[in-house]
Amino acid sequence: MTGRLLLTFNAGSSTVKIGIFQLSGAGPQRIGKAVVDFSDRPLMLHLKEGPTRFELPLKGDAGDNLSDLMGEVLRELGAHFDLDTVIAAGHRIVHGGDLFTGPAELTSQTLEQIRSLNELAPLHQPQALRLIRAVKHLHPKLFQTGSFDTTFHSTQDDLVRRFAIPRAWHERGIKRYGFHGLSYQYVTRELATKAPDIAKGKVIIAHLGSGASLCAIDDGQSRDTSMGFSTLDGIPMATRPGALDPGVLMHFLGPLGKSVKDVEDMLYHQCGLLGVSGLSGDTRELMADGGEHARQAVDLFTLRIAGEIGRLATTLGGIDGLIFTAGIGENQPKIRAQIADRLLWLGVELDGRANERSASKISTPASRIAVHVIPTDEEQMIAEEAISLLDAEDDRNHRTATQGASHGA
């Protein structure tokens, strides 16, 4: 397979990230990255090929059928990469429920199982399925795989995954699942390389982006996480509220007369940093603005993150390392510093200069907890899992052919 290409598709609620990987003896190596942001008007394909960046206008739209748009995207990519050599496509899928404990080939059966989980992730799951259908329409014979954000958390204890609700509902799937698993999986592996002594201990990873969560990890395995049943849970995010008193929802749906659809739209698109600030869900804009409401939004964000770190440390029974990752976690020193300031009681002490330059290790030698910044790469994990499934399929086909030849002889 050396020299051939693999594509990864990471469907968010309003974007599609595409990774272009070349296969070599060392595994999949990224050679390009593309992003389509559905909020762009007109739509643009943001392409990075090595050090070169391109902004390519698109004529299509992000309707229910993505085939035309993705056909246009692949034609544009074909001008930069030899897509005739693509042998597989891997997709990020947010929710695997209890049905998937690892990556899976996307067959009619697995697609139906994924579709059955739509109600558990209404913002992300249908988007991933639209993308899978579009790729299948354009390349019917292409080997496609799914990598699930929930599977990394399957190591959590049943007690951690339970809500205090009647047991029958737990058995019907209303439980804590956890998300951002591909990111946590990648960062955990990177930490084992960069700081193996810390990786074997009790670690909390803060995946801070427009969607944000934290995960408690012990010896490389997920033990607890801030997100639970849905991607709305946990800490405040760009436009999502994080943990919310169920009584608030009952009040919206009852006395205030809001519809389920109205409440869903508010929770996914109007809350979080945007809702508190009334200005933006982007922490960069809020930090630059400096107004009272903007400051309050950032202060609430860092307060809830620090509080969640304390809760997760209780699950772990201690903490040896704190890792920042994703867009905010990797690139915004002031946010990291504000969180660390709230954790002084826990023994967190940042090296100011190291933090300002986003060094790999940003804690001082005197800090009781090692603090690191590790960039995440979900697409790399998708690519590696896709190749593992493709290799397994090739092995099965080879064994079948060998057995057929021996019987024929």
Side-chain angles (χ1 to χ4, degrees):
M1 293 191 295
T2 301
R4 297 184 182 181
L5 299 185
L6 178 144
L7 300 179
T8 62
F9 295 90
N10 187 342
S13 57
S14 61
T15 62
V16 174
K17 299 175 184 177
I18 303 171
I20 303 97
F21 291 83
Q22 188 167 45
L23 304 183
S24 69
Q29 307 293 315
R30 187 194 293 271
I31 59 172
K33 182 175 184 177
V35 178
V36 179
D37 187 336
F38 296 143
S39 64
D40 285 345
R41 292 293 181 271
L43 286 181
M44 302 286 291
L45 177 65
H46 306 274
L47 173 63
K48 182 179 180 182
E49 182 183 1
T52 309
R53 296 177 182 270
F54 303 89
E55 302 290 323
L56 306 171
L58 298 170
K59 298 176 182 178
D61 60 45
D64 290 338
N65 185 347
L66 287 177
S67 296
D68 290 344
L69 177 61
M70 293 312 302
E72 186 180 1
V73 167
L74 293 178
R75 285 193 296 273
E76 292 286 358
L77 293 179
H80 298 265
F81 307 96
D82 184 7
L83 297 191
D84 288 338
T85 66
V86 172
I87 60 170
H91 296 262
R92 172 192 173 223
I93 300 171
V94 165
H95 219 305
D98 289 328
L99 300 174
F100 298 94
T101 56
E105 179 184 355
L106 296 178
T107 63
S108 57
Q109 179 182 357
T110 54
L111 284 174
E112 185 56 39
Q113 290 175 308
I114 293 167
R115 191 175 296 109
S116 73
L117 300 169
N118 276 5
E119 291 182 356
L120 299 183
L123 193 68
H124 297 89
Q125 205 86 342
Q127 180 83 323
L129 285 167
R130 290 166 63 212
L131 192 53
I132 292 165
R133 287 195 298 267
V135 174
K136 186 172 181 61
H137 175 77
L138 295 165
H139 298 281
K141 296 182 179 180
L142 186 64
F143 188 83
Q144 293 197 74
T145 66
S147 294
F148 300 88
D149 260 332
T150 48
T151 59
F152 182 73
H153 304 295
S154 61
T155 53
Q156 291 180 8
D157 189 88
D158 178 72
L159 181 64
V160 170
R161 301 186 72 189
R162 280 188 177 270
F163 294 115
I165 58 175
R167 299 186 72 88
W169 291 108
H170 175 85
E171 300 304 324
R172 291 176 63 174
I174 299 181
K175 62 182 71 173
R176 298 174 58 84
Y177 291 98
F179 301 94
H180 292 132
L182 292 168
S183 175
Y184 293 129
Q185 186 177 353
Y186 180 84
V187 173
T188 298
R189 187 177 70 182
E190 288 296 292
L191 181 64
T193 300
K194 298 176 183 296
D197 54 330
I198 299 299
K200 293 178 181 178
K202 303 176 188 297
V203 174
I204 294 174
I205 300 178
H207 176 106
L208 306 180
S210 58
S213 69
L214 296 96
C215 184
I217 295 171
D218 191 359
D219 194 18
Q221 293 192 322
S222 174
R223 298 303 182 198
D224 199 350
T225 184
S226 61
M227 277 184 174
F229 177 72
S230 76
T231 58
L232 291 168
D233 197 14
I235 60 174
M237 293 163 257
T239 62
R240 289 173 256 169
L244 190 64
D245 183 340
V248 174
L249 302 181
M250 293 170 64
H251 191 68
F252 275 122
L253 295 169
L256 297 183
K258 300 294 184 182
S259 69
V260 172
K261 184 176 180 181
D262 287 342
V263 172
E264 180 181 71
D265 180 69
M266 179 188 67
L267 294 177
Y268 279 106
H269 303 294
Q270 301 172 35
C271 291
L273 297 173
L274 174 62
V276 175
S277 70
L279 172 68
S280 173
D282 189 324
T283 53
R284 293 168 297 186
E285 294 181 15
L286 298 177
M287 298 287 280
D289 178 87
E292 180 184 354
H293 292 173
R295 287 198 307 272
Q296 188 177 54
V298 173
D299 287 347
L300 182 61
F301 183 59
T302 59
L303 174 67
R304 296 295 184 230
I305 292 170
E308 187 64 16
I309 289 170
R311 188 190 73 80
L312 293 175
T314 300
T315 298
L316 291 173
I319 174 175
D320 302 307
L322 173 62
I323 316 301
F324 289 100
T325 193
I328 298 170
E330 295 170 24
N331 301 302
Q332 296 190 38
K334 291 181 179 179
I335 296 290
R336 294 194 299 259
Q338 285 194 24
I339 295 168
D341 285 346
R342 297 184 183 277
L343 296 172
L344 286 173
W345 66 273
L346 201 55
V348 173
E349 184 178 311
L350 293 192
D351 179 322
R353 291 183 179 179
N355 183 46
E356 279 299 319
R357 67 175 190 273
S358 296
S360 177
K361 185 175 183 180
I362 60 174
S363 52
T364 67
S367 179
R368 292 203 299 269
I369 296 170
V371 186
H372 290 258
V373 177
I374 298 180
T376 191
D377 194 340
E378 293 170 323
E379 287 81 19
Q380 182 69 36
M381 294 310 308
I382 298 168
E384 291 180 15
E385 291 192 342
I387 289 303
S388 70
L389 291 174
L390 187 60
D391 287 343
E393 177 70 9
D394 287 344
D395 288 343
R396 283 194 296 270
N397 291 338
H398 177 72
R399 287 196 300 271
T400 299
T402 301
Q403 290 168 0
S406 64
H407 288 317

